[in-house]
Structures are given as C-alpha cells and as structure tokens.
Amino acid sequence: MGGLKRVLVLMAALVLVVATGVAAQGPRVSVIEAWFIHNESMGDPVGVAKGFFGNLQVTVIGGGPGLSPIDRVMAKARAGEIVLGVDYPYNILEAREKQKLPLVVVAHDFQKSAIHLLSWVPLKSPRDVKGTVATWIGYDKQIKAMIGPDWAARIKVVNQQGDPATIGAWMQKKVQFAHAMGYNEVLVAKREVKEKYYVYSYADDFGMKWPENVLFTTEEIIRKYPQVIQQFVAGHYQGFQYAFANRQEAADILFKVNKNLDKAHEIAGMDFLFSIMVTAATKTNGLGYVDPAAWEQLGKDLARAGLLKGAKITAAYSTKFASGVKP
C-alpha cells in the first residue's frame, strides 16, 4: 500500500502541474501599435519580455505608413479576437462620429503632445504659420486646430517624407514647416541640420494640451472582458515603468523585435518620452491616466477649427481602467 500511495501522490502532483500549466495560458490578446515598434511603443514588447502581462498571451503588432490601427483593430474585433490599439484621440473621435465605430479609449500613454513644429523662420504665435506644412497622413488635426477656422486659407498640408526620419523634404527646404516628434525627428534635426532653424512644442509653446498615443479597444470587448483589459493596461504600463528604469535593456528588447533600430537613438529619445508620460497627474493617478479635462479641450479645439462638431466626447473614453502603476 505504501508503494501505491506514493504512485497516487506522484500522479496527483503530475495532474496539478499539468492543470497549472493549462491555467497559465490565459486569453490571447493582440495590441496594434501606431507605428513601427520603437521607443514610443516599448511598454508592450518590454512587458511581454518581462512577464508583466501575467497569463495573457500578448502579441505585439507593429504599424507603419498607411496602416490604420483603427481599421486593424476593428477587423480583429469583428473576428471575435481580444484586441487593443494605439492611435491619436482625435482619430478615435472621428471614427466614432463619422463611421459610427464603437471605439473607447482606456488609457493615455502621452499626457501631452509629443509633436513639435520645425520652422525655417521664427514664429511669435501659431498665426505666423503660413505656407506648406509637412505631416504624416492622418496627423494634420493639430496644425489645423492650432491655426483656427481659417487654416485652409493659410496653410497647405502635404505628406511628410524623405530621409532622414521623414524630414528630408523640410531639410531640403521644399516645405517651410514640418512636424517632428520630440523623441525622434527633433533629435535627428539637432544632429543633422547645420543651418539656423526653430523648434516649437505644440504643448508648451502653442498650448495644445491634447493627450496622444491613446490605448483603445471596442465597447463590446470592454463589456465582455473587463478583467482582461484591466490586466493588459497594468502590464502595458509596468513595461514602460521598467523600460524607463532600465533603458539599455529596453533598447536591447526593442532591437530584438526591430533590427532597423539605432539603440543609442532610441535611448536618447527616452528622456523626452519620460517628460510627457511622467507628470504630476501620473505621479498621483498612475501611468496611463485618462484626463477628462484634456478631452474637453480636444473637443473645443476641434470644434473651433470646424474639424469636428457636436462630438460626444465623454462616450469616447473610460476612466475605469487605472493602471495602478506609479512612475
């Protein structure tokens, strides 16, 4: 009987191990990034590498030119998958109002705008911006809202392109102004441009208090899987928290995913990312804080410029999924 007992105990232990292994394999979740995977999206690949998503099976999908996170999220959601995406808040609003897509923002990566305006001439105010402005497709709402309702008479918006880092046309003076992210193109211009030029922050110089790189999903996914969304949000920001504290390791993880990256450049951009993610609000409320006042400002600015009127702002975001991750 002693031998039989030992066998039964071993069998029970084996079943426990197998059951635990099965339980460890939680729901499959995809996250679709706004752009190629690099430092702006480091929370997700770092979160996966360090196990911050727990039992969620997370797949990180990079974006790029012409790839709409909204379209890709909707395609997966319609197929019955659990999916989140990263995009700009005004794109979420526009998709809700014009396409009637049931999208909801659950977190803000950036508490204020990362966009800067590169200019060959000094500017005293946004009203001094006249001429051709280069920006990425779908990222023209800031410049239009910043100038005001007569923006069409004052500027021409063209697609941003040309090496290095999409500001090549501006560097060749084919356009007077170009958009530049504080963690990317601003650093490139600082290294590459030898002539006198000017850099203006949308948030600090032009008062554009808009959130950016917002994490979103659909109303149905939130309704069906609230715990999964909560778990994902926590892991997403644990990934950012770890990356800021371990920048070289974070760059190494990013490089494994995207071999085209320059690690030194990615690390250099983390200082700026830290400045727009770690604010008084996130120190109090945690990374990813959803600020209703920022949405109210966004709605007013868009309406004033005639870009989006009568949008149901409060339906476009949720404050229920606080990350609990303090920077």
Side-chain angles (χ1 to χ4, degrees):
M1 290 295 293
L4 178 59
K5 285 184 178 179
R6 284 195 295 273
V7 170
L8 291 174
V9 168
L10 286 172
M11 289 178 64
L14 179 59
V15 171
L16 178 62
V17 169
V18 171
T20 301
V22 170
Q25 296 297 309
R28 295 181 181 275
V29 180
S30 296
V31 57
I32 298 174
E33 307 293 351
W35 199 246
F36 302 118
I37 294 173
H38 65 135
N39 55 14
E40 76 168 16
S41 52
M42 63 189 178
D44 292 327
V46 170
V48 170
K50 305 306 294 187
F52 295 143
F53 291 107
N55 69 340
L56 299 182
Q57 301 178 71
V58 175
T59 300
V60 184
I61 303 172
L67 296 174
S68 166
I70 289 173
D71 291 346
R72 300 168 86 191
V73 163
M74 287 306 303
K76 284 186 170 293
R78 286 167 179 149
E81 299 182 35
I82 304 175
V83 58
L84 298 97
V86 179
D87 207 327
Y88 275 29
Y90 54 73
N91 287 338
I92 304 300
L93 275 178
E94 188 172 57
R96 284 184 61 89
E97 297 303 312
K98 295 185 177 181
Q99 297 174 261
K100 306 303 179 185
L101 299 181
L103 304 174
V104 180
V105 170
V106 296
H108 294 172
D109 283 359
F110 300 170
Q111 297 297 307
K112 62 180 184 179
S113 179
I115 293 182
H116 293 65
L117 190 68
L118 300 178
S119 173
W120 289 115
V121 297
L123 305 172
K124 292 182 180 180
S125 79
R127 301 294 292 174
D128 291 334
V129 179
K130 299 176 183 178
T132 304
V133 181
T135 187
W136 308 280
I137 295 174
Y139 291 79
D140 59 354
K141 298 293 192 302
Q142 284 99 333
I143 187 70
K144 293 176 179 178
M146 183 187 75
I147 290 173
D150 62 342
W151 60 265
R154 303 177 71 86
I155 64 169
K156 175 184 178 182
V157 178
V158 299
N159 185 35
Q160 188 147 305
Q161 57 188 331
D163 292 329
T166 76
I167 58 172
W170 174 78
M171 288 174 61
Q172 297 172 31
K173 297 188 176 180
K174 294 180 179 179
V175 296
Q176 295 96 326
F177 308 96
H179 274 167
M181 294 298 188
Y183 50 86
N184 191 15
E185 290 85 4
V186 170
L187 300 178
V188 172
K190 186 176 181 180
R191 289 197 305 264
E192 302 287 340
V193 180
K194 306 307 179 185
E195 295 181 61
K196 179 68 175 179
Y197 68 96
Y198 302 87
V199 184
Y200 298 93
S201 163
Y202 272 64
D204 298 330
D205 297 316
F206 297 145
M208 301 290 286
K209 307 299 183 183
W210 296 5
E212 284 178 357
N213 280 35
V214 296
L215 188 65
F216 72 95
T217 186
T218 70
E219 294 174 356
E220 183 178 17
I221 289 172
I222 288 176
R223 185 170 59 253
K224 287 184 175 179
Y225 310 103
Q227 293 180 331
V228 173
I229 298 304
Q230 182 64 74
Q231 187 174 340
F232 182 89
V233 168
H236 178 82
Y237 291 108
Q238 285 174 347
F240 274 111
Q241 180 192 54
Y242 186 90
F244 284 132
N246 303 273
R247 300 186 183 192
Q248 182 62 58
E249 183 181 355
D252 291 340
I253 291 170
L254 289 171
F255 188 73
K256 289 179 182 179
V257 180
N258 184 353
K259 299 295 185 182
N260 294 317
L261 298 179
D262 179 330
K263 292 183 186 180
H265 178 79
E266 298 305 311
I267 292 172
M270 292 181 193
D271 279 340
F272 179 81
L273 285 169
F274 187 88
S275 75
I276 61 174
M277 292 186 68
V278 178
T279 64
T282 57
K283 287 178 181 177
T284 300
N285 300 292
L287 292 173
Y289 172 61
V290 175
D291 182 4
W295 279 90
E296 184 177 352
Q297 184 65 55
L298 171 67
K300 288 180 179 178
D301 289 343
L302 289 172
R304 184 176 62 87
L307 299 172
L308 195 62
K309 295 182 179 180
K312 298 177 181 178
I313 303 296
T314 56
Y317 66 87
S318 171
T319 58
K320 297 178 180 179
F321 299 98
S323 73
V325 179
K326 298 294 180 69

